[in-house]
Amino acid sequence: MTYNTCVSIAETTPNRVLSTLVKALRKSNYAEIRFDFLAPENIPKTLHLIKKYSSRCVFTLRSNTEGGKFSGSEKERRSILRLLAEYNPYFIDIEFSASGDKRLINYIKKTETPILVSWHDFKKTPSVFKLTKKYQKMKSVSKNIKIVTTANSIKDTVSVLSLYKKQKSGLIAFAMGDYGRVSRILCLHLGSPFTYVSLGKPVAPGQFSLDEIKSLQNLKKQ
């Protein structure tokens, strides 16, 4: 089995995004560009620089209310999301909380950019029942779903991974934190198209580095 990876890139300048992206894609299948780490005025230049790589990128613009760095208005953020969709990335990450904006969703669909509808819980892992209800609602937005919770026990990790009983492809579900770290590997065995990794310092709690994942891959081959 191949461990497909997506490197999270959280750089603060267009040139740094480009150089890190080129480095990441030498070893990784995909890369996630965290546009919320950039000043809004630098986003158009960044898009121009990375245009030829966009088909291997997940574009994310996470608001600070959703655990990201974007501090502008929600109106401004959704305007930028429309711009990101026009560059036809592999996925554009749209939080479930924003998916009720039908004008935004319809606009993105017209660009033919696949939507990765996402939901995060940075404090806990809800019950399997609540996770399943959340999953069913998200499924009405897109077949590509990302559900990430915070594990405070092994049981929490099992709970979030149980979602793979519902969907074998197009689902990215795992838990953050020390207890959830193993889920970042197990999700690949259960059907996740890739796992998020870093090039060094983790962008999220419990995240493996790309080199660590490649080392695990090599151990499997021995």
Side-chain angles (χ1 to χ4, degrees):
M1 176 187 175
T2 300
Y3 285 171
N4 289 338
T5 56
C6 181
V7 174
S8 297
I9 296 176
E11 299 289 0
T12 56
T13 68
N15 288 334
R16 287 285 297 170
V17 171
L18 176 61
S19 61
T20 304
L21 176 61
V22 171
K23 182 180 178 181
L25 292 180
R26 289 194 188 112
K27 292 184 178 181
S28 181
N29 308 84
Y30 309 103
E32 177 192 33
I33 309 297
R34 290 291 302 269
F35 284 93
D36 48 302
F37 279 76
L38 291 159
E41 60 267 23
N42 286 332
I43 290 177
K45 180 180 178 181
T46 304
L47 286 167
H48 176 72
L49 289 174
I50 68 170
K51 184 176 181 179
K52 69 177 182 179
Y53 303 105
S54 62
S55 63
R56 293 175 63 190
C57 293
V58 178
F59 285 0
T60 301
L61 183 69
R62 193 84 67 215
S63 69
N64 52 15
T65 58
E66 293 275 356
K69 297 292 184 181
F70 186 80
S71 58
S73 70
E74 186 61 11
K75 182 179 180 181
E76 181 184 12
R77 193 178 76 89
R78 295 187 186 189
S79 176
I80 295 172
L81 285 170
R82 292 185 180 90
L83 174 64
L84 298 183
E86 292 172 3
Y87 280 76
N88 300 117
Y90 178 65
F91 282 139
I92 184 166
D93 185 313
I94 300 295
E95 298 91 347
F96 181 58
S97 60
S99 66
D101 185 341
K102 299 306 179 186
R103 291 179 64 186
L104 172 66
I105 298 301
N106 289 337
Y107 186 92
I108 293 172
K109 287 182 177 179
K110 286 180 181 178
T111 69
E112 299 185 352
T113 293
I115 293 173
L116 178 64
V117 58
S118 65
W119 179 79
H120 298 73
D121 190 321
F122 294 96
K123 294 183 178 179
K124 64 185 186 307
T125 297
S127 67
V128 173
F129 176 74
K130 290 182 178 179
L131 284 172
T132 301
K133 283 187 67 177
K134 181 72 69 175
Y135 161 80
Q136 294 292 353
K137 291 178 180 178
M138 294 171 73
K139 195 175 179 181
S140 66
V141 179
S142 174
K143 64 180 181 180
N144 305 301
I145 299 168
K146 179 186 179 187
I147 294 179
V148 181
T149 66
T150 299
N152 297 306
S153 67
I154 293 296
K155 181 182 177 182
D156 287 344
T157 299
V158 174
S159 293
V160 72
L161 291 178
S162 71
L163 290 170
Y164 286 99
K165 294 179 181 178
K166 306 291 182 181
Q167 182 170 327
K168 295 299 183 183
S169 63
L171 174 64
I172 304 169
F174 60 88
M176 296 181 287
D178 291 339
Y179 283 109
R181 200 161 194 247
V182 67
S183 67
R184 292 177 178 271
I185 300 294
L186 293 178
C187 69
L188 294 169
H189 292 270
L190 294 170
S192 179
F194 55 75
T195 190
Y196 289 86
V197 298
S198 68
L199 280 184
K201 183 180 178 181
V203 177
Q207 193 175 58
F208 285 93
S209 71
L210 178 59
D211 287 342
E212 286 174 325
I213 294 293
K214 295 300 181 184
S215 294
L216 290 170
Q217 179 83 54
N218 291 335
L219 282 175
K220 288 178 81 261
K221 293 178 180 177
Q222 293 177 8

